């Protein structure tokens, strides 16, 4: 499993959970106000118990003849439950629920894992919650952060294994709602991935079965 | 007759000569190599095989650090985890920078996750078993390729897919998962999992670091140095709310040495003051202290002699050897009191004493001559030192004691010098003695010899807690057996390891840890490379067709999986096992593969370790394995190893005890040539043995190695008491001899008896054994021996 998975997931969760940031909170001078911006997000994240939204992911890889588009939905319930569900073109589900988790494809039985004994999934899950908790100082260890244009967070990997895989991450927020609209991940070798989010529901009741069953 | 001034000059000259000899020998003694090696305490046959291998594996000098977050809950927050992880990284880095440590394992290489695939994929052709090929046969069908490729496509398009492009291209069927799963199971000797690159426990509240010290940790000075380095690393590294437990040889060595120091700090001055007071009062002269000091002048020449013969000595043997030199104090006391209290000239008195002192010396040294036959190196060294020390002490006492007795010459008989009026109540002490022997005979057969050295280990509550935590947190099984495959190089060792693995896999139902599934030896590799070629010759074209067809359907470019097809053809790639072991997988393999360090061992040898939980089911299988493959294969079972040590020590002790008893009986019998006198001389020995047996039975129902060693000393003292009493009876100097025996016994009881107050179990055993033994031997020599002699002459009425 790629090491990038947690990073990307955490970026997503950070953006999705950090809702309610008002336009006037976005600093005009990015260098000077980045810390405040991140602190604001941290505070908002703490107030957000659940997030539900739709996503559309476009993968532009050299090994594909054309861009591959997946769409689905994501459900998050703090402190430790997450569901990432691809609906089209091939259904699949990834669930983290406390120490347990499962992966499902439409044509195969669920693969269950225990985070206490599966180091890779453990790493993925724990890093997600690090990010959800809003400790962005960790981001700064691996990335240089900048706020550009008042609505876009630019992340540039520092030296290390991350840099071998990712050239840049750009997150664009909706100017009026400050919801993340798109994340563009540039990969080495010219590949890229764009994820678009829509239809946010915050702090709404979530069906518990979403975190216990792949296809309820 | 020699005039007093001449006598004084002669005495001075004697002292100068003796002290000069002592000083010269002291210079030579100072160059002796003092070893604090625990291996010296174990039988030879054990040391030369298993323990040496354990040492070469680095297990004896390995320091384990279990770093834990201080929490009452079973769950920890991510912030706590980060605190814990950062602490581990800081402590690990600091230890790594210390010159006192070689290998420090605390994290996986930082970029392992991104490079792991490239590193382990080349191992695939050599790792696939027959069972894997059955699964592979299903995977290469049209439906198999379609399903697997679709899963990889999904993975690539999931949040986990960033950076997986090359992996999908090189392994579209996900065959590397076979290796990942095997790697996941390879956790060395510990129940660890890997999280964020560090080794953590199942509940994630603890992380593990292990560091191989470059200095032997069985040495107390080294241990102090290493402990200081560990303390520095912990002070630098641990965040608030994070604590560390140190496990391994280190805390045990330090706890023992610190307990001994703490005991001796109090008990040594106490014993010295008590002894000095007693001797001054008992001898009615300050010279009494000198009487005790004179025999100890032999210590330095004895060490010098040891240095000339062996060049080295274990610290334990040195300490005990010097203590055993103290046996000669008895001779000095007898000499001193006789010269001061007995009537007659110095020459007459010395002539009278020559016989008992010679016999006492002969019996005592013969006991230690027997101990020279021991299979335990430190026992032999101790015996050598004791023989040299006692012999030299007798000579020095013989030369110097007459010079400190004051006025000499024929003195009138006083009442106290007259032969003792024989008591008509001799029956009572004999009866008590018989009862004591009876009780001893009841207890002796019921005593178990406990050869487990851990009974002498001064563990405190903190060490116990750390050991328990370590086993609960990191060990899947408390008892583990190690199967060690040896070879001139890694390939040879891996071949042996493969054979052991095959046998264990066929015969064990319990899971065990081995590197064989991912790192086979050349023989297995050749066989598997052949299978790989054969399999892909049959299936390559059809797989290429299926990949192209289903890949195109999913949106992959045509021909994109060519690298995988090429990989199935490339079986001639150079496989270097050593490169794998030294590569990024090193932290996972380090504890199970030991490459030669290039120093220390005469013939460089590689060790590959397999770890098997040890229980009643697995042990017979391991024994069978050992029976089948004796070359280059060692099976170390810590449980059976302890049993083996116990058995060897027990056999050694039994053999030597019987031999020593026989030698003493023969010597005493030959000397007196009278059954009654022989029995009377041996009466204190029997009383001491009975008393020690009763004491051990009542307090522990077992005896340990310290009891046995001290018993030898007690026997040496007791037989001297008996010999002196019998000789005194013959010479009609019973009262003086009784006084001398009393002084000797009480001195020994004070000197050693204070150790019964010690916290250290070894010193405690030492003190109680002497108290019990001498406490019985002394009254027996004083009252029972004369009574037994009198009963034969009708003097008891």
């Amino acid at each position: 499993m790629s090491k990038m998975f947690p990073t990307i997931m955490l970026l997503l969760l950070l953006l999705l959970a950090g809702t309610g940031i008002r336009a006037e909170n976005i600093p005009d001078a990015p260098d000077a106000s980045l810390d405040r911006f991140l602190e604001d997000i941290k505070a908002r994240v703490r107030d957000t118990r659940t997030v539900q939204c739709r996503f559309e992911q476009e993968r532009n890889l050299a090994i594909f003849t054309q861009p591959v588009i997946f769409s689905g939905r994501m459900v998050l319930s703090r402190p430790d439950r997450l569901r990432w569900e691809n609906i089209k073109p091939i259904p699949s589900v990834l669930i983290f629920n406390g120490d347990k988790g499962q992966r499902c494809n439409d044509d195969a039985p669920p693969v269950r894992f225990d985070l206490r004994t599966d180091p890779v999934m453990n790493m993925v899950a724990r890093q997600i919650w690090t990010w959800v908790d809003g400790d962005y100082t960790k981001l700064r260890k691996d990335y240089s952060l900048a706020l550009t244009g008042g609505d876009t967070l630019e992340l540039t990997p520092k030296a290390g294994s991350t840099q071998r895989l990712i050239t840049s991450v750009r997150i664009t927020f909706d100017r009026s709602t400050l919801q993340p609209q798109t994340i563009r991940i540039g990969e080495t070798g010219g590949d890229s991935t764009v994820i678009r989010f829509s239809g946010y529901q915050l702090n709404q009741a979530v069906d518990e079965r979403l975190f216990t069953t792949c296809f309820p | 007759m020699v005039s007093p001034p001449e006598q004084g000059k002669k005495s001075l000259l004697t002292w100068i000569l003796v002290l000069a000899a002592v000083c010269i020998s002291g210079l030579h003694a100072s160059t002796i190599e003092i070893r604090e090696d625990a291996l010296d305490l174990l039988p030879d046959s054990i040391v030369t095989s298993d323990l040496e291998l354990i040492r070469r594996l680095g297990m004896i000098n390995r320091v384990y650090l279990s770093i834990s977050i201080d929490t009452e809950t079973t769950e920890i927050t991510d912030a706590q985890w980060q605190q814990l992880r950062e602490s581990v990284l800081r402590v690990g880095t600091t230890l790594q920078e210390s010159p006192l440590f070689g290998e420090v394992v605390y994290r996986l290489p930082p970029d392992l996750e991104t490079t792991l695939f490239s590193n382990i994929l080349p191992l695939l052709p050599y790792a696939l078993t027959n069972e894997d090929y059955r699964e592979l046969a299903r995977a290469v069908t049209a439906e198999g390729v379609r399903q697997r490729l679709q899963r990889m496509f999904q993975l690539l398009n999931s949040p986990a897919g960033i950076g997986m492009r090359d992996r999908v291209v090189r392994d579209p069927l996900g065959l590397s998962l076979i290796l990942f799963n095997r790697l996941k199971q390879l956790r060395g000797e510990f129940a660890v999992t890997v999280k964020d690159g560090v080794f953590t426990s199942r509940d994630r509240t603890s992380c593990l670091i292990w560091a191989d010290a470059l200095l032997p940790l069985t040495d107390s000075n080294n241990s102090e140095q290493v402990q200081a380095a560990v303390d520095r690393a912990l002070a630098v590294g641990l965040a608030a709310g994070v604590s560390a437990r140190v496990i391994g040889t280190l805390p045990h060595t330090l706890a023992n040495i610190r307990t001994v120091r703490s005991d001796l700090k109090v008990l040594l001055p106490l014993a010295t003051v008590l002894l000095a007071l007693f001797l001054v009062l008992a001898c009615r002269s300050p010279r009494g202290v000198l009487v005790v000091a004179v025999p100890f002048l032999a210590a330095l020449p004895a060490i010098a002699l040891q240095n000339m013969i062996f060049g080295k000595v274990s610290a334990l043997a040195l300490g005990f050897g010097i203590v055993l030199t103290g046996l000669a104090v008895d001779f000095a006391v007898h000499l001193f009191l006789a010269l001061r209290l007995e009537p007659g000239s110095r020459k007459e008195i010395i002539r009278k004493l020559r016989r008992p002192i010679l016999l006492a010396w002969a019996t005592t040294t013969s006991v230690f001559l027997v101990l020279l036959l021991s299979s335990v190196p430190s026992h032999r060294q101790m015996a050598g030192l004791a023989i040299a020390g006692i012999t030299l002490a007798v000579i020095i006492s013989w030369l110097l004691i007459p010079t400190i007795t004051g006025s000499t010459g024929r003195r009138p008989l006083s009442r106290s010098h007259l032969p003792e009026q024989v008591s008509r109540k001799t029956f009572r002490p004999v009866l008590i003695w018989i009862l004591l022997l009876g009780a001893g005979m009841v207890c002796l057969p019921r005593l178990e010899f406990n050869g487990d050295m851990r009974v002498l280990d001064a563990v405190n509550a903190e060490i116990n807690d750390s050991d328990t935590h370590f086993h609960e947190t990191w060990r899947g099984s408390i008892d583990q057996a190690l199967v060690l495959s040896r070879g001139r190089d890694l390939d040879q060792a891996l071949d042996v390891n493969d054979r052991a693995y095959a046998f264990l896999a066929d015969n064990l139902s319990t899971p065990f840890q081995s590197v064989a599934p991912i790192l086979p030896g050349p023989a297995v590799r050749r066989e598997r490379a052949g299978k790989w070629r054969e399999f892909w010759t049959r299936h390559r074209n059809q797989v290429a067709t299926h990949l192209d067809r289903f890949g195109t359907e999913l949106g992959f470019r045509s021909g994109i999986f060519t690298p995988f097809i090429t990989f199935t053809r490339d079986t001639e790639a150079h496989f270097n096992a050593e490169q794998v072991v030294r590569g990024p997988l090193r932290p996972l393999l380090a504890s199970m593969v030991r490459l030669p360090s290039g120093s220390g061992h005469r013939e460089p040898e590689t060790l590959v370790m397999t770890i098997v939980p040890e229980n009643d089911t697995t042990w017979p299988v391991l024994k069978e394995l050992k029976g089948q493959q004796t070359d280059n294969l060692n099976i170390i079972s810590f449980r059976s190893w302890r049993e083996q040590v116990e058995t060897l020590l027990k056999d050694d002790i039994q053999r030597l005890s019987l031999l020593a008893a026989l030698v003493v009986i023969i010597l005493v019998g030959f000397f007196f040539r009278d059954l009654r006198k022989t029995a009377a001389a041996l009466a204190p020995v029997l009383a001491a043995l009975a008393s020690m047996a009763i004491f051990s039975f009542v307090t522990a129902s077992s005896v340990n190695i310290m009891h046995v060693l001290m018993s030898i000393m007690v026997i040496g003292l007791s037989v001297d008491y008996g010999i002196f009493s019998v000789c005194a009876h013959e010479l009609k100097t019973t009262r003086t001899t009784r006084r001398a025996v009393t002084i000797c016994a009480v001195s020994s009881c004070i000197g050693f008896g204070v150790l019964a107050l010690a916290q250290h179990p070894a010193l405690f055993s030492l003190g109680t054994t002497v108290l019990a033994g001498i406490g019985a031997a002394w009254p027996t020599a004083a009252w029972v021996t004369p009574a037994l002699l009198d009963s034969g002459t009708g003097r008891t009425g």
Side-chain angles (χ1 to χ4, degrees), chain A residues 11 14-15 17-19 21 25-27 29-46 131-141 143-147 152-155 171 173 178:
Chain A
L11 275 170
L14 161 66
L15 295 164
T19 55
I21 301 171
N25 290 338
I26 296 180
D31 288 342
S33 54
L34 181 61
D35 288 346
R36 191 177 156 203
F37 176 72
L38 296 176
E39 279 302 314
D40 285 344
I41 291 178
K42 192 173 176 178
R44 305 290 177 183
V45 167
R46 286 199 192 117
W131 285 71
V132 171
D133 280 345
D135 186 357
Y136 300 110
T137 52
K138 288 188 179 64
L139 260 183
R140 286 183 149 153
K141 277 187 182 168
Y143 295 92
S144 299
L145 271 64
L147 196 61
T152 302
L153 197 60
E154 297 265 7
L155 292 88
I171 306 143
F173 295 85
L178 279 186

Side-chain angles (χ1 to χ4, degrees), chain A residues 9 12 55 73-74 82-86 92-94, chain B residues 159:
Chain A
M9 288 298 288
L12 295 179
F55 68 82
R73 64 173 174 160
M74 195 212 72
L82 169 78
R83 178 187 176 90
W84 183 271
E85 181 176 4
N86 285 327
S92 68
V93 178
L94 174 66

Side-chain angles (χ1 to χ4, degrees), chain B residues 534-686:
Chain B
E534 185 193 327
F535 182 87
W536 287 108
T537 303
R538 272 190 285 134
H539 298 289
R540 188 178 299 114
N541 290 340
Q542 79 185 56
V543 169
T545 308
H546 295 326
L547 281 174
D548 206 47
R549 177 185 154 202
F550 296 120
T552 310
E553 281 176 18
L554 288 167
F556 288 103
R557 290 184 190 279
S558 179
I560 204 74
F561 301 114
T562 304
F564 172 68
I565 298 301
T566 308
F567 172 65
T568 64
R569 211 175 270 128
D570 183 20
T571 50
E572 302 304 323
H574 180 61
F575 183 101
N576 186 329
E578 200 162 318
Q579 216 166 27
V580 175
V581 172
R582 294 193 191 276
L585 299 179
R586 185 175 178 82
L588 292 171
L589 300 171
S591 70
M592 300 185 75
V593 178
R594 201 74 175 178
L595 297 172
S597 60
S599 64
H601 201 252
R602 286 188 301 274
E603 288 178 27
E605 197 175 44
T606 299
L607 299 174
V608 177
M609 179 168 78
T610 295
I611 300 157
V612 181
E614 193 185 348
N615 52 47
D616 294 340
T617 317
T618 57
W619 183 235
V621 177
L622 290 167
K623 276 209 285 199
E624 199 183 333
L625 172 65
K626 179 63 188 161
Q628 286 190 1
Q629 302 189 31
T630 48
D631 289 342
N632 293 329
L633 189 88
N634 289 69
I635 295 176
I636 300 174
S637 145
F638 288 103
R639 189 169 65 167
S640 68
W641 185 78
R642 281 197 299 272
E643 287 168 7
Q644 202 187 347
V645 171
E646 283 180 38
T647 308
L648 283 170
L649 281 177
K650 190 176 180 176
D651 290 350
D652 207 38
I653 290 299
Q654 279 178 347
R655 182 172 57 91
L656 297 180
S657 301
L658 281 174
L659 199 56
L662 207 63
V663 169
V664 168
I665 291 168
I666 290 171
L667 269 175
V668 174
F670 176 77
F671 186 81
F672 289 117
R673 292 176 194 178
D674 180 308
L675 194 59
R676 184 179 301 277
K677 286 180 183 175
T678 303
L682 293 175
V685 178
L686 295 175

Side-chain angles (χ1 to χ4, degrees), chain A residues 1-5 8-9 57 59 61-66 68 70 84 86 89-92 99 105-108 114-120 122-123 126-127 129-130 133 138 141 161 164-166 185 187-189 191 193, chain B residues 75-79 81-82 85-86 110-111 113-115 146-147 150-151 153-165 167-169 180 184 187 193-197 200-204 552 554-558 560:
Chain A
M1 182 94 39
S2 166
K3 191 188 179 184
M4 290 306 103
F5 174 49
I8 302 308
M9 288 298 288
Q57 177 188 279
R59 292 275 270 158
L61 306 185
I63 59 172
F64 292 144
T65 51
Q66 57 187 0
V68 174
F70 271 68
W84 183 271
N86 285 327
I90 304 170
S92 68
D99 278 334
N105 296 316
D106 62 339
D107 62 348
D114 186 333
L115 294 178
R116 288 170 302 185
T117 53
D118 189 323
V120 176
N122 183 303
M123 178 191 69
R126 299 306 296 182
Q127 284 203 17
W129 301 117
T130 304
D133 280 345
K138 288 188 179 64
K141 277 187 182 168
S161 55
R164 280 191 213 139
L165 302 172
I166 290 184
I185 302 155
E187 297 176 51
T188 49
D191 294 344
T193 301
Chain B
E75 296 281 317
I76 64 169
T77 64
D78 191 62
W81 165 250
Q82 288 306 331
R85 183 175 177 274
E86 292 296 325
D111 58 351
E113 285 143 3
T114 51
T115 57
R146 189 192 70 77
Q147 282 185 2
Q150 183 166 303
R151 268 179 233 153
F153 179 72
Q154 284 177 286
L155 181 65
L156 191 60
N157 287 287
S158 75
I162 304 290
M164 286 201 68
R165 186 190 63 189
R167 181 170 156 187
V168 171
V169 166
F180 279 113
K184 208 158 69 179
R187 294 173 303 189
T193 183
V194 177
K195 178 171 148 53
D196 295 349
T200 183
S201 57
R202 282 176 67 86
D203 63 2
R204 284 168 279 166
T552 310
L554 288 167
F556 288 103
R557 290 184 190 279
S558 179
I560 204 74

Side-chain angles (χ1 to χ4, degrees), chain B residues 292-307:
Chain B
V292 176
V294 164
F296 282 104
L297 289 175
L300 286 177
I303 297 169
L305 212 57
Q306 177 89 6
N307 194 10

